Amino acid sequence: MSAITARKGFVQQTDVLDSTSSSMTNSIAASPEDTPRQSSSSTSLSSLESINNLDLKTVNGKLLDTYGNEFHLPDFTIKQIRDAIPAHCFTRSGAKGLAYVARDLASLAASFYLFHTYVTPENISSTPARAALWSLYTVLQGLFGTGLWVLAHECGHQSFSPSKTLNDTVGWFCHSALLVPYFSWKISHGKHHKATGHLERDMVFVPRTRDQYATKFGRYAHELTELMEETPIVTAGMMIGQQLGGWPLYILANVTGHNHHERQSEGRGKGKQNGIGGGVNHLDPSSPLYEAKDGKLILLSDLGLGITLAALFMIGSNFGWANLAVWYLIPYLWVNHWLVAITFLQHTDPTLPHYEPESWNFARGAAATIDREFGFIGRHLFHGIIETHVLHHFVSTIPFYNADEATEAIKPIMGQHYRSNVEGGPIGFLKSFWRSARMCQWIEPCEGTEGEKKGVLFFRNRNGLGVPPQKLSPSAELKSDS
């Protein structure tokens, strides 16, 4: 069967296949093969059911994602997931990991040599042509640098090799060269994996609740329906700001991470909050993101950054700051762009739930991710980090070169709860970026839900896309706050 919904020209079609698991029947949520996609008939709405016409009596009390598909809570276990994966998928090879590092480093070095040697005034007299070619250089270096970043990410998860010493040594060198505090990131990223989708503990792209989103505009939650649609130019501006500043702000101010630091077990979070100067960052050993035992590792991470910054200063002083900007800084911004875009789309989608503490468990959180497709760049230059992210959240120690096979193995267990959006390849990936930015503005409970379901929140927006937000009365809001 298929569930088709439309809203103001936006059409979402989801083909739902019967699950092989009897415990997952009678569900219309997105299924493994059920890639959320834009309908090819989006210009013809006459035969499609509009979300405007949803019978609220029929859907009241049900969990509905932003597209209007009914969601059922996952009921499989981590043991079922692990048991379904062939044993050889867990095998890690240090030699193979180092070969990939060598390949990425060689790509970076070869690109620099070729452009530095041949894209010169002596060989190419046209200044616009040289500028265009050096622009291409920054893009290529950004792609190769992102691949190296992903391999250091593998090191942080100990999926690079069986040796923790080798993993952390390679990870520290590679991430330090990319101005990433390796151990600091490794620790906080591990906490993200332990609490994915948990609204009070997750560390990455924790969405705003309805109240938090309303506060941004100086409004109460019940007044959100009075706000005008966000203009596309505003959305575009916010996306550009996120792509340029998202990573540095995450490192320096824990932006997009949870803000419940007062609960830190050692009392480090008292009086601290996210934001510049708030005392929460990835560089300070006393940050509430860490425990006292982590102090030396945080300082070692800072040392790696210091060495890289010193080397960059020497290059800029000797060869010119404009050259440094082209050789390193702009490619560095490209790496940051890809890192933020990939992470955003792994955890932000109209189909994905987020959980209050009472409704969360590890399996539910790990399933609240989505695989996408980025073609040759994603599968080869980025080492599959886009295409196999769901599997990665269930078992992060499986090396990337075994992740495709392991992903296929867990699909029958996950059934309808495996999500992927692969249509359109790289273009579809970029379209998803815009769609998620427009549709995923805040999260809220679904209309009429009670008990455990009330702690399952889905994205809503003020742009008239998908399931409309609840209409709240001032009295109901005051009651919920009391």
Side-chain angles (χ1 to χ4, degrees), residues 244-278:
L244 288 174
W247 175 250
L249 287 175
Y250 177 67
I251 295 298
L252 298 174
N254 198 45
V255 170
T256 81
H258 79 77
N259 204 18
H260 296 272
H261 306 293
E262 71 281 355
R263 302 176 185 177
Q264 205 270 353
S265 59
E266 298 175 344
R268 291 168 161 237
K270 293 180 180 178
K272 296 182 179 181
Q273 59 184 359
N274 295 347
I276 298 296

Side-chain angles (χ1 to χ4, degrees), residues 76-85 394 410 413-414:
F76 51 81
T77 66
I78 299 301
K79 185 178 186 305
Q80 288 176 299
I81 293 290
R82 294 186 69 93
D83 288 349
I85 300 171
F394 281 104
I410 69 173
I413 305 300
M414 294 188 68

Side-chain angles (χ1 to χ4, degrees), residues 167-220:
N167 294 337
D168 287 341
T169 300
V170 173
W172 182 81
F173 274 104
C174 292
H175 262 177
S176 295
L178 296 168
L179 290 179
V180 177
Y182 172 72
F183 291 104
S184 308
W185 162 85
K186 172 185 171 182
I187 295 168
S188 68
H189 188 68
K191 293 180 179 181
H192 157 62
H193 271 258
K194 292 177 182 177
T196 306
H198 191 299
L199 287 176
E200 296 184 4
R201 290 172 47 212
D202 199 355
M203 303 292 293
V204 174
F205 281 109
V206 178
R208 289 186 176 95
T209 63
R210 181 169 178 155
D211 287 338
Q212 292 167 339
Y213 186 85
T215 300
K216 185 175 74 167
F217 296 96
R219 300 291 188 103
Y220 290 105

Side-chain angles (χ1 to χ4, degrees), residues 232-252:
I233 194 169
V234 171
T235 304
M238 294 176 64
M239 292 171 66
I240 292 171
Q242 172 181 286
Q243 295 312 110
L244 288 174
W247 175 250
L249 287 175
Y250 177 67
I251 295 298
L252 298 174

